[in-house]
Amino acid sequence: MTVRTRPGRSSLSTRPRSTRPSVGITEVARHAGVSPGTVSNVLNRPERVAEATRARVEAAIAELDYVRNSSGSSLRSGRSGSVGLLVLDVTNPFFTEVARGVEDEAAGAGLAVVLLNSAEAQDRQRRNVRLLAEQRAAGAVVMPVDDDLSDLLWLSHQGTSWVALDRGDVAEGVGCSVSVDNHAGGLAAGRHLIGLGHERVTFLTGPFAIEQVRRRHQGLLDAFTESGMDPGAHVRVVEQPLLNPQQGERAVDAVLAGGPRQRPQAVFCANDQLALGLMKGLGRRGLRVPDDISVVGYDNVDLADLVHPGLTTVAQPKYDLGRAAMRLLRSELDDPGHRHERVLFTPELVVRGSTAAYRS
């Protein structure tokens, strides 16, 4: 923003500000009685410096309020001290816990985390990926919006390391991935609903282009198959463009289509955001959860335990997902002999008040 002022009528303070020249390594070295090279070693390779000398330098750094300038080392190495975390929806509390895990692990390596949002749109994902490359990010943890991994492969060609988050289908040798067994989560939700006597189940979901959505759906279908029921006759799909509460609330008409006789006995939602929105919409229609319709979510965000009734959901280890992804990225950044890995977590069904036995 440009601020224009007229003579004698400045919109900014004309009082001179006290500025102090920034302290450099030379001043720290002089204050500690060591060479600038020793200060550099304390900052970058502390294990090479004797403990007493290191303590003296660290004391000088604190006294002089020295702030290291990382731009020079970034220019020399060609990489910054930051990593990108690109998620599908920054408003989803699921990603808050994932980000906390990424950040805690990154902090141990002195790396800053830059949070980016694709908003479930590939064009935004592509812009953000290119931004990370332009900014010479050290690496990236990315949750792709669909099956197209060309943006990640492009990052590899730019020399930027990456880890795919919540994607288990990355080809071996192409890159690291951290994911949850989404098929097992869908299977657990389906078995739970079938065990309660629900035979008409609607799967409320976001775009099937998202791998996690497809696997959760397949798990639900397989639960019906193993129980001896034809999933085609017992499972209906309502697909929404996004995985957020607003879409869950808007989906009520589609979920209830066909009248009372066709109304589902239960709805399995592809994530908690959809489920919470659906529960709100059902309540506005005068329908009670679980007396009229049981609802199951996926993720186990904090709000799932705060609404009434509490939301039955499939819990993902959100923090551990983020931490594991960043641990793999650190390994690739630090270890020349790094070999790509796949990490797969197992989800867990958490039963609360939003599901109950079907009463005909």
Side-chain angles (χ1 to χ4, degrees), residues 30-114:
R30 187 182 302 119
H31 194 79
V34 298
S35 69
T38 300
V39 177
S40 178
N41 279 337
V42 169
L43 294 171
N44 301 298
R45 295 172 293 275
E47 70 282 356
R48 297 187 179 183
V49 184
E51 185 176 349
T53 303
R54 187 168 68 244
R56 197 161 71 250
V57 171
E58 289 172 346
I61 288 172
E63 288 177 33
L64 297 176
D65 198 20
Y66 167 75
V67 177
R68 66 185 298 171
N69 183 351
S70 61
S71 61
S73 60
S74 297
L75 288 171
R76 288 190 296 273
S77 67
R79 291 291 164 197
S80 73
S82 64
V83 294
L85 171 58
L86 179 54
V87 300
L88 294 176
D89 180 6
V90 293
T91 67
N92 187 338
F94 169 81
F95 296 111
T96 303
E97 281 297 292
V98 172
R100 193 167 67 86
V102 170
E103 190 172 35
D104 284 354
E105 185 65 26
L111 293 167
V113 178
V114 178

Side-chain angles (χ1 to χ4, degrees), residues 3-22:
V3 179
R4 293 186 175 88
T5 61
R6 296 178 180 177
R9 298 184 64 184
S10 173
S11 62
L12 300 176
S13 171
T14 57
R15 188 178 301 170
R17 289 184 292 179
S18 174
T19 58
R20 184 186 68 179
S22 60

Side-chain angles (χ1 to χ4, degrees), residues 13 37 176 245 271:
S13 171
C176 288
N271 74 352

Side-chain angles (χ1 to χ4, degrees), residues 12-248:
L12 300 176
S13 171
T14 57
R15 188 178 301 170
R17 289 184 292 179
S18 174
T19 58
R20 184 186 68 179
S22 60
V23 175
I25 279 185
T26 302
E27 288 80 7
V28 173
R30 187 182 302 119
H31 194 79
V34 298
S35 69
T38 300
V39 177
S40 178
N41 279 337
V42 169
L43 294 171
N44 301 298
R45 295 172 293 275
E47 70 282 356
R48 297 187 179 183
V49 184
E51 185 176 349
T53 303
R54 187 168 68 244
R56 197 161 71 250
V57 171
E58 289 172 346
I61 288 172
E63 288 177 33
L64 297 176
D65 198 20
Y66 167 75
V67 177
R68 66 185 298 171
N69 183 351
S70 61
S71 61
S73 60
S74 297
L75 288 171
R76 288 190 296 273
S77 67
R79 291 291 164 197
S80 73
S82 64
V83 294
L85 171 58
L86 179 54
V87 300
L88 294 176
D89 180 6
V90 293
T91 67
N92 187 338
F94 169 81
F95 296 111
T96 303
E97 281 297 292
V98 172
R100 193 167 67 86
V102 170
E103 190 172 35
D104 284 354
E105 185 65 26
L111 293 167
V113 178
V114 178
L115 180 62
L116 301 165
N117 179 35
S118 69
E120 301 180 39
Q122 188 164 52
D123 59 335
R124 286 191 59 170
Q125 172 182 283
R126 184 154 295 149
R127 287 201 302 271
N128 284 322
V129 162
R130 275 151 178 72
L131 178 64
L132 290 173
E134 290 170 6
Q135 297 297 321
R136 298 296 187 267
V141 175
V142 180
M143 176 174 277
V145 299
D146 55 28
D147 293 342
D148 184 358
L149 299 181
S150 59
D151 288 334
L152 296 183
L153 298 178
W154 182 85
L155 267 183
S156 296
H157 292 318
Q158 305 307 311
T160 303
S161 300
W162 54 267
V163 174
L165 179 65
D166 211 11
R167 284 294 297 269
D169 61 345
V170 177
E172 188 173 352
V174 171
C176 288
S177 67
V178 177
S179 61
V180 177
D181 190 340
N182 287 289
H183 179 272
L187 189 66
R191 287 170 173 170
H192 174 64
L193 292 174
I194 292 168
L196 292 173
H198 299 294
E199 296 183 356
R200 291 195 309 274
V201 176
T202 291
F203 181 58
L204 176 59
T205 181
F208 266 79
I210 300 174
E211 180 222 6
Q212 300 94 303
V213 162
R214 296 196 306 274
R215 292 188 180 274
R216 292 168 194 177
H217 175 245
Q218 189 59 53
L220 174 64
L221 298 181
D222 289 347
F224 275 89
T225 298
E226 72 174 17
S227 69
M229 290 185 281
D230 176 10
H234 294 274
V235 177
R236 188 165 63 95
V237 174
V238 172
E239 186 175 351
Q240 296 294 100
L242 297 170
L243 289 150
N244 61 37
Q246 294 75 27
Q247 296 296 330

